[in-house]
């Protein structure tokens, strides 16, 4: 029988460059669940209570919104700001990006 153990990725993501790469990759994927998961992992790596405080939301609310996989744009922008990150918008060729809204 195969036994697996839970992995807390935030324990291994203590380098800010790696955190930026994870969030950038998630945003470029267009997958809402991946974006939420990436933001949650980075927030946990930096201390979710502190990030929630900096974002102006209760930690439980932040955990819930990022845990459901489809946070609001307001939540994403607040968390990015609290992480000292910003969105980067650029042109892509038509049809080259597939967005997952679920």
């Amino acid at each position: 029988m195969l036994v697996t153990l839970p992995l807390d990725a935030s324990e291994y993501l203590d380098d800010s460059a790696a955190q930026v790469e994870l969030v950038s990759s998630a945003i470029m994927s267009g997958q809402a669940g991946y974006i939420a998961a990436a933001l949650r992992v980075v927030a946990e790596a930096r201390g979710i209570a502190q990030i929630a405080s900096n974002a102006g939301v209760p930690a439980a609310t932040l955990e819930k919104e990022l845990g459901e996989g489809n946070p609001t744009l307001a939540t994403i922008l607040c968390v990015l700001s609290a992480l000292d990150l910003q969105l980067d918008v650029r042109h892509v060729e038509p049809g080259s990006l597939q967005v997952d809204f679920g």
Side-chain angles (χ1 to χ4, degrees):
M1 177 172 143
L2 178 64
V3 177
T4 61
L5 301 173
L7 172 69
D8 183 357
S10 67
E11 293 179 13
Y12 304 96
L13 206 63
D14 57 358
D15 174 68
S16 63
Q19 294 171 357
V20 168
E21 183 63 30
L22 175 63
V23 173
S24 293
S25 172
I27 290 172
M28 289 178 64
S29 78
Q31 297 178 9
Y34 182 18
I35 295 167
L39 289 172
R40 183 180 178 119
V41 166
V42 174
E44 288 173 347
R46 294 193 189 182
I48 200 152
Q50 183 62 50
I51 297 303
S53 176
N54 292 352
V57 298
T61 300
L62 184 60
E63 289 176 345
K64 181 179 181 218
E65 287 214 25
L66 296 180
E68 291 177 352
N70 197 10
T72 65
L73 179 58
T75 297
I76 291 170
L77 293 175
C78 285
V79 172
L80 286 171
S81 178
L83 294 170
D84 298 321
L85 301 174
Q86 68 181 24
L87 286 175
D88 180 27
V89 178
R90 65 186 90 173
H91 176 76
V92 297
E93 293 301 318
S96 66
L97 182 64
Q98 295 182 7
V99 177
D100 175 14
F101 293 105

